[in-house]
């Protein structure tokens, strides 16, 4: 894994954006991500669509690498931790969590997180909430109005569309930042990209496997 970083300051707090679909909040020692969609590929396979199980295994390995690199005390998942009902990928996550027994996992519920809390606690989630407020920030899966706090959210799987030198268009996942919110890319590598429904006056930090870039 090539880890590229871009440091930004929001509300006098330091956030490290990465090309590995997550960010690190230095002051809170927290790794933050959204839209892991645990169980999505297994759900598709169950319904007759052949997808490799290696997709979620690679996502969890990437998460392991990030935890080892940043050494966070907390993992804040900003919604859509799971995709559907309990399946074989839940066992994979439970095994993953055993590597990091001291890591606290805070789950902000998303529209896909419709499974019972007990099943989430069983695989290592520490705390489940509708939104999480900490310092000057609110963590919410979807957009919320707040005049006092900066919002960090997910849900839309943001990306940008760029034209290449040969006239073709390519899409890249992106962090989207405004004066009042930061929208996280989907952590899952098996997701589409929304390149249109973004707030006005946004700054973009798009990334590739090799780097992260601001436009």
């Amino acid at each position: 894994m090539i880890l590229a970083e871009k440091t930004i300051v929001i509300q006098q707090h330091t956030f490290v954006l990465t090309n590995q679909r997550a960010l690190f909040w230095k002051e809170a020692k927290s790794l933050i991500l959204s839209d892991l969609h645990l169980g999505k590929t297994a759900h598709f396979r169950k319904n007759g669509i052949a997808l490799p199980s290696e997709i979620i295994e690679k996502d969890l390995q990437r998460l392991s690498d990030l935890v080892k690199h940043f050494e966070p005390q907390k993992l804040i998942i900003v919604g859509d931790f799971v995709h559907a009902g309990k399946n074989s990928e839940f066992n994979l996550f439970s095994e993953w969590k055993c590597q990091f027994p001291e890591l606290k996992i805070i789950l902000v519920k998303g529209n896909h997180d419709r499974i019972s809390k007990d099943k989430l606690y069983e695989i290592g989630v520490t705390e489940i909430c509708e939104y999480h407020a900490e310092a000057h920030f609110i963590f919410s899966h979807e957009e919320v109005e707040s005049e006092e706090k900066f919002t960090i959210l997910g849900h839309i799987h943001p990306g940008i569309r760029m034209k290449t030198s040969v006239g073709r268009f390519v899409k890249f996942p992106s962090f989207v930042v405004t004066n009042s919110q930061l929208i996280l890319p989907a952590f899952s590598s098996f997701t589409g990209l929304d390149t249109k429904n973004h707030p006005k006056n946004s700054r973009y930090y798009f990334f590739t496997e090799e780097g992260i870039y601001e436009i």
Side-chain angles (χ1 to χ4, degrees):
M1 180 185 82
I2 299 173
L3 179 60
E5 302 179 1
K6 182 75 173 181
T7 299
I8 62 174
V9 177
I10 301 173
Q11 305 283 10
Q12 299 182 332
H13 285 244
T14 304
F15 292 87
V16 182
L17 312 181
T18 76
N19 66 331
Q20 300 301 327
R21 299 174 176 262
L23 64 81
F24 181 65
W25 179 11
K26 283 190 175 181
E27 286 79 4
K29 297 182 179 179
S30 297
L31 186 66
I32 303 165
L33 59 89
S34 183
D35 296 275
L36 176 61
H37 287 281
L38 182 70
K40 184 175 182 178
T41 53
H43 175 74
F44 274 65
R45 289 196 300 274
K46 183 179 178 181
N47 287 276
I49 301 173
L51 290 172
S53 60
E54 289 82 3
I55 292 175
I56 186 61
E57 292 172 1
K58 289 180 179 179
D59 285 344
L60 292 177
Q61 181 58 56
R62 182 159 42 88
L63 184 55
S64 292
D65 292 341
L66 287 166
V67 171
K68 292 173 183 176
H69 176 76
F70 289 110
E71 298 183 338
Q73 294 177 353
K74 298 194 300 288
L75 175 62
I76 302 175
I77 303 175
V78 192
D80 285 0
F81 170 52
V82 302
H83 181 78
K86 187 175 182 181
N87 56 40
S88 58
E89 291 185 4
F90 278 55
N91 295 331
L92 289 176
F93 187 85
S94 182
E95 293 170 3
W96 177 90
K97 180 59 173 65
C98 290
Q99 301 175 79
F100 310 103
E102 302 302 319
L103 181 65
K104 181 179 181 180
I105 299 179
I106 298 173
L107 171 62
V108 177
K109 291 185 67 176
N111 53 297
H112 278 278
D113 296 313
R114 296 188 291 268
I115 197 165
S116 72
K117 290 184 177 181
D118 288 343
K119 288 184 172 62
L120 295 170
Y121 291 138
E122 284 175 6
I123 61 172
V125 175
T126 312
E127 179 182 333
I128 302 168
C129 51
E130 297 298 324
Y131 68 91
H132 176 66
E134 186 173 348
H136 306 293
F137 305 96
I138 289 179
F139 298 86
S140 173
H141 184 59
E142 299 184 51
E143 187 171 358
V144 295
E145 292 186 8
S146 175
E147 296 181 357
E148 298 180 356
K149 292 182 181 289
F150 189 94
T151 306
I152 296 176
L153 60 150
H155 184 54
I156 68 171
H157 310 170
I160 62 168
R161 185 171 177 261
M162 300 182 68
K163 192 174 184 178
T164 68
S165 59
V166 295
R168 296 179 180 177
F169 286 93
V170 291
K171 295 180 180 180
F172 299 99
S174 176
F175 296 87
V176 179
V177 182
T178 72
N179 290 332
S180 61
Q181 63 181 216
L182 184 155
I183 306 174
L184 294 156
F187 190 80
S188 170
S189 55
F190 182 49
T191 53
L193 295 176
D194 184 337
T195 61
K196 296 180 179 179
N197 298 304
H198 304 159
K200 294 180 180 179
N201 302 316
S202 295
R203 304 192 309 277
Y204 295 88
Y205 298 88
F206 77 95
F207 50 87
T208 65
E209 291 184 1
E210 292 80 25
I212 183 165
Y213 314 94
E214 179 181 1
I215 58 170

